[in-house]
Amino acid sequence: DPRGSGRPTLRVRAGSTALRSTRRHDPAIETRVSRLEGRVSGLRVTFPIRATNGEAADLLLDTGFQGELALDAATLVRLGFDGPVGVSPVELGGGSGADLFVDQGRIGWLDGELEVSALMIQSTEGAMGLGLLRDVQFTLNTKSRHAAIEKAP
């Protein structure tokens, strides 16, 4: 950011909705964790996700979503995602269809980093889908209000 605010600069091209972040990966920021601890409130489960630029977001686990992430444009930019790489037709919860922008980025994920795809949505409540739960152990205990994601044994 030329004004030194520390926030990423948004670039919008005329006639385009492409958003870009000027913030890039800083290897000094630790994003690797061996276990993600979630929060359970009623039937809502949220997990903190940390991008490789050090920024984080709490995301709702959406068991009806087969993709990896669904985030609004401002959160995608804040997390340092690269900007739209395409458009994907999706079926929304009510059964209607929509074409949504797809963005690419990296997150800290279970002792490493993971390249992920994110659908750009309007809602400011971000979601993580079942696509992130491949090859992991997911634990949910509604009585103790505990949820966790860790490497599968």
Side-chain angles (χ1 to χ4, degrees), residues 23-33 50-56 78-79 107-108 112-113:
R23 189 177 294 176
R24 291 291 171 228
H25 173 67
D26 180 351
I29 297 172
E30 182 57 49
T31 59
R32 298 174 182 184
V33 295
R50 183 166 301 279
T52 57
N53 68 1
E55 293 286 336
R78 184 173 57 81
L79 295 177
I107 61 171
E113 292 182 358

Side-chain angles (χ1 to χ4, degrees), residues 126-142:
M128 62 182 285
L130 296 179
L132 278 179
L133 297 184
R134 287 187 291 268
D135 302 321
V136 300
Q137 179 174 312
F138 170 65
T139 307
L140 173 63
N141 184 325
T142 56

Side-chain angles (χ1 to χ4, degrees), residues 16-72:
S16 170
T17 56
L19 299 176
R20 297 265 181 222
S21 171
T22 59
R23 189 177 294 176
R24 291 291 171 228
H25 173 67
D26 180 351
I29 297 172
E30 182 57 49
T31 59
R32 298 174 182 184
V33 295
S34 60
R35 176 183 175 103
L36 285 174
E37 298 289 336
R39 288 181 296 285
V40 179
S41 176
L43 295 178
R44 295 174 56 87
V45 179
T46 58
F47 284 94
I49 299 296
R50 183 166 301 279
T52 57
N53 68 1
E55 293 286 336
D58 284 335
L59 304 180
L60 176 69
L61 176 61
D62 184 346
T63 59
F65 174 41
Q66 299 299 310
E68 295 172 327
L69 300 176
L71 301 163
D72 65 282

Side-chain angles (χ1 to χ4, degrees), residues 73-134:
T75 302
L76 287 166
V77 169
R78 184 173 57 81
L79 295 177
F81 277 56
D82 294 331
V85 295
V87 174
S88 178
V90 297
E91 182 179 334
L92 303 174
S96 63
D99 290 330
L100 299 179
F101 285 109
V102 178
D103 208 333
Q104 296 286 316
R106 295 187 72 75
I107 61 171
W109 189 252
L110 304 180
D111 290 332
E113 292 182 358
L114 183 65
E115 180 81 23
V116 294
S117 295
L119 294 175
M120 187 183 299
I121 60 174
Q122 297 295 316
S123 173
T124 56
E125 180 173 54
M128 62 182 285
L130 296 179
L132 278 179
L133 297 184
R134 287 187 291 268

